[in-house]
Amino acid sequence: MASAAKAKTGRPVAWWAGVSPWLAAVGSAGLLTLAFPPFGFWPLAFVALALLLWAVTSAERLVTAGLLGWLFGALFYYGSSWWATHSLIVYGGIATPVAHVLIGVAAVLVAIPTALFALGVHLTTLREPSPGWWCIPAWWCVCEWLRGEVFAFGWNPLANAVALEPWLARAAGLGGHYLVGAMVTAFAASVVYALRQWAHRPAHALRGLAAGTLALLLPSLAALTGALQPPEDVSDREAAVAVIAVQPCAPMLTKVMSAYEQAEARQMQLAVEGLRAASDRARRMVIFPESQIALDADRPGAEQSLRPLLAQGAWVLTNATRRVGDGFANTALLYGPDGSTAEYQKVHLMPFGEYVPLGRYLPVELPTLAVEARPGKRIVTLPVTDDLRLGVGICFESAFPSLHRAFRQQGATVLVNLANDGWFGRTPGSEQHLRHLVYRAIETGCPVVRVTNDGISALIDAGGQVRDVIPQGQPDVRVWPVLPAASGMTPYVIVGDLFAWSCLAAVVGRLLWRLWTRIRFYTEAITDLVAGE
């Protein structure tokens, strides 16, 4: 009877032990989604990572750990990026269920690096808890780097959850947003380690928690106590340039041509009002966003519409399209009052917006939402004056720290983002987009001017503080005094992704060591067997 009772009691316990890691992975994805816009409960990022690590380190099998990480990633990327269905439904004419399935499939693919993270954590912590746990932040960094640089889709990295918390975010000036994500992961790992060790080795638990706390705080303290450039001071009116940021709210896709004409007239009117408000400034620059009323750079005399602005001595930076081969280049054109021009063609294209990933290998041809764009061949900055050079990223390029580092290395002193988030309607997409640029400012030590078609347009100082915004859906113009960055470089601009490469070296070294210990173990076992011991 006692044995039967014990068996009945054991079944629920065994069932719960099998199910709880999966529930933890699902809960972790939900909590991390709540840490991002539109919710913004950033402390939940720490809880979410701790819950994920608890699930992964509870798994008995390597395959189970990988599937837990994959499930977490797929749910998080879908939960935080569901808004991408808006453009598919409204402008692509795709049925709502199909649109959600497509975004779900994309989330599953983008989650492959989180599956690799879980596999790495399981491999390096199994049976050797203390040394392997030090590699957990490195695994997270490597997998986010792979997603951003190899998969070319670094949207919503972990660091973006704490982008508006300067005491954490400013550490990006040392090692990029990858360092900030690793800091969050390190603290979460230390909490889980402490919980697992507390019952039988409380001293180890306390030391692990202390190490995780230091890993979280020391880079932040280094950044906040003078290792990085301070935010700009725009009190020097002579050195600052008056940026006239125009948010016209042009329509997206419409057959009513008069709507575009009205938007063009509204955009010009706002620009003239901005120039009038900044008339006492020696240097003025009008910036128009990426939009459906962009200039056709191939049309003769396309810049004639800008003459009223150029005649007042202002520079004009505008989005344009230029025919390249059998497609178009998404372009930023800078016109000077002296007749000079400079051009940058978008290097990193928006998946499904401007090109279809692996489109040549698909059995059917999928259309893009905007135009079939062609990527630019090289990264260039746009010169204005001796101390003012623009690094202009177009829309989705905000998610590429390496691009903006290259801008800074080429002498950019102000970063600009021209975007059109109107494709995604009144969704969290624009607010999530803005957070990427907070890190581009911190990483490079440059102020960032973000000008969008229908919001959120914003001015971000060199310390990553959002100084002013134009809300979504509101046609408006703002005059922002922007002081070009000084000649000094942040550590991140100097060394680039050295932190990420160091993390890669650490995890590879850990895996090789584990492989060597396994080989040595089996070699000794075979030797003993042959010797008859």
Side-chain angles (χ1 to χ4, degrees), residues 519-533:
I519 292 174
R520 189 174 61 181
F521 171 80
Y522 288 115
T523 301
E524 292 175 353
I526 293 172
T527 302
D528 292 343
L529 182 64
V530 171
E533 297 181 4

Side-chain angles (χ1 to χ4, degrees), residues 243 444 503:
V243 170
T444 60
C503 288

Side-chain angles (χ1 to χ4, degrees), residues 330-360:
N330 194 345
T331 298
L333 280 175
L334 176 66
Y335 293 94
D338 59 354
S340 62
T341 61
E343 179 175 342
Y344 165 74
Q345 295 182 358
K346 187 177 183 180
V347 173
H348 299 284
L349 302 181
M350 177 67 183
F352 300 104
E354 295 169 313
Y355 81 106
V356 177
L358 303 176
R360 69 178 66 180

